[in-house]
């Protein structure tokens, strides 16, 4: 069974590092034309030098003009756009009582408005083709949020609801829209890699598949969602968290080994 993505034009936001970089690499490996968008011009250039993306565009997804220009550049170079992966996202933490409103707005500007901007820019192209795949990074925080992470959790819950609405609005055009919820993947966004052994073990007790997540786990799901095999899946939130809190105490199974 093969997921044939050769020749597909795939835009990945936040492609410069972390999970986005691995998503870009996976689609390039599968023969897709990968376009990486990010704020970080230097890291984007490296992505291209390492042949992990065919085209890279410095773009702040919170700015609709920059996003429109980037999508126009994709249309000009490739004449189509098959897959949009809304991977870019930010986190900010603090108690809600004293949470800085400007920081709240920033989280929503990237995680919610950024997704709106990219979707609005690509939808006309996908409608023109009468096909397309939009794949949105939500988070396990959209299912169960964490203490001091209300902005992040609320923004990712918003992504899930946008995904469902868009899936319905775009169904008649042959476009599917799905979201995924990673659990815990050590990246620059979080402190998982810095946890001591005891703290890491407590965190891993939340999982049925008792290991940290990897960018490839997400990339593999994106490959499936982008391909022809997933055509009957839309409006879904797919959990790629290693079974985080699949039961109240997944660690119990590991402790009883
Ligand atoms: P990361 O912080 O390593 O990478 C995020 C990338 O997005 C960076 O390259 C950054 O420059 C880019 N970015 C940020 N703001 C941008 C903007 N305004 N315009 C364009 N690019 C922008 O994060 P990571 O961990 O790779 O996360 C990727 C996605 O996965 C995020 O949406 C995150 O919320 C989600 N996620 C990650 C989890 C994890 O455990 N790492 C868990 C659940 C969800």
């Amino acid at each position: 069974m093969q997921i044939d993505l050769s020749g597909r034009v795939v835009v990945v936001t936040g492609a410069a590092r972390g999970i986005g970089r691995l998503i870009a690499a996976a689609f390039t490996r599968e023969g897709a034309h990968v376009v990486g968008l990010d704020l970080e011009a230097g890291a984007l250039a490296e992505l291209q030098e390492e042949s992990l993306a065919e085209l890279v565009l410095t773009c702040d997804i919170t700015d609709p003009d920059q996003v429109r220009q980037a999508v126009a550049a994709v249309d000009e170079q490739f004449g189509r756009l098959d897959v949009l992966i809304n991977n870019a996202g930010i986190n900010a933490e603090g108690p809600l009582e004293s949470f800085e409103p400007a920081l709240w707005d920033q989280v929503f500007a990237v995680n919610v408005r950024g997704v709106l901007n990219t979707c609005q820019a690509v939808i006309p192209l996908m409608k023109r083709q009468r096909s397309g795949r939009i794949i949105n990074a939500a988070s396990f925080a959209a299912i169960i949020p964490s203490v001091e992470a209300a902005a992040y959790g609320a923004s990712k819950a918003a992504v899930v609801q946008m995904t469902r609405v868009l899936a319905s609005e775009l169904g008649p055009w042959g476009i599917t829209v799905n979201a995924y919820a990673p659990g815990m993947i050590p990246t620059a966004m979080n402190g998982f890699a810095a946890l001591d052994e005891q703290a890491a073990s407590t965190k891993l007790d939340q999982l049925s598949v008792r290991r940290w997540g990897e960018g490839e786990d997400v990339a593999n799901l994106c490959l499936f969602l982008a391909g022809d095999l997933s055509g009957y899946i839309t409006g879904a939130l797919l959990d790629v968290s290693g079974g985080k809190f699949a039961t109240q105490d997944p660690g119990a199974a590991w402790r009883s080994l």
Side-chain angles (χ1 to χ4, degrees):
M1 192 164 64
Q2 280 198 332
I3 299 176
D4 183 9
L5 296 167
S6 52
R8 303 280 168 95
V9 178
V10 181
V11 171
V12 184
T13 70
R17 69 164 192 237
I19 299 169
R21 182 179 164 84
L22 290 160
I23 293 173
F27 277 87
T28 296
R29 200 178 56 234
E30 298 299 324
H33 302 290
V34 173
V35 182
L37 269 52
D38 207 290
L39 292 171
E40 303 291 339
L44 273 182
E46 283 172 25
L47 191 76
Q48 197 173 28
E49 276 159 26
E50 292 173 42
S51 301
L52 300 181
E54 192 168 330
L55 177 66
V56 292
L57 299 165
T58 308
C59 173
D60 181 346
I61 59 162
T62 67
D63 179 346
D65 290 336
Q66 287 188 36
V67 172
R68 266 194 298 272
Q69 281 167 20
V71 170
V74 174
D75 196 18
E76 194 177 310
Q77 176 148 342
F78 300 104
R80 58 186 297 112
L81 198 166
D82 298 292
V83 182
L84 167 66
I85 302 181
N86 277 311
N87 161 78
I90 60 170
N91 185 21
E93 296 186 358
L96 206 45
E97 182 183 3
S98 55
F99 201 80
E100 188 58 52
L103 201 50
W104 181 277
D105 291 344
Q106 200 184 337
V107 171
F108 271 72
V110 178
N111 294 3
V112 183
R113 181 66 201 270
V115 171
L116 177 69
N117 290 339
T118 54
C119 288
Q120 288 189 331
V122 307
I123 287 168
L125 277 69
M126 290 182 172
K127 279 187 167 177
R128 190 179 74 197
Q129 298 161 190
R130 292 194 165 267
S131 70
R133 295 275 196 266
I134 297 175
I135 304 170
N136 297 326
S139 171
F140 194 82
I143 303 167
I144 305 178
S146 301
V147 170
E148 299 199 357
Y152 183 74
S155 72
K156 292 300 188 178
V159 169
V160 174
Q161 297 297 34
M162 287 166 73
T163 299
R164 292 174 175 143
V165 174
L166 261 185
S168 293
E169 292 179 356
L170 300 179
W173 300 88
I175 302 164
T176 67
V177 189
N178 291 291
Y180 55 85
M184 299 185 293
I185 301 174
T187 64
M189 176 180 274
N190 50 57
F192 297 136
L195 293 176
D196 64 33
E197 204 178 324
Q198 180 56 49
S201 183
T202 303
K203 284 274 184 208
L204 292 174
D205 274 346
Q206 301 170 359
L207 306 179
S208 296
V209 180
R210 202 176 188 284
R211 64 164 172 82
W212 295 114
E214 293 171 5
E216 283 85 358
D217 296 319
V218 173
N220 289 337
L221 175 62
C222 289
L223 292 176
F224 170 68
L225 289 175
D228 296 337
L229 295 178
S230 66
Y232 203 55
I233 301 172
T234 196
L237 172 62
L238 290 122
D239 179 332
V240 56
S241 71
K244 190 168 180 175
F245 294 127
T247 57
Q248 293 186 45
D249 181 11
W254 290 85
R255 288 192 295 276
S256 68
L257 282 180

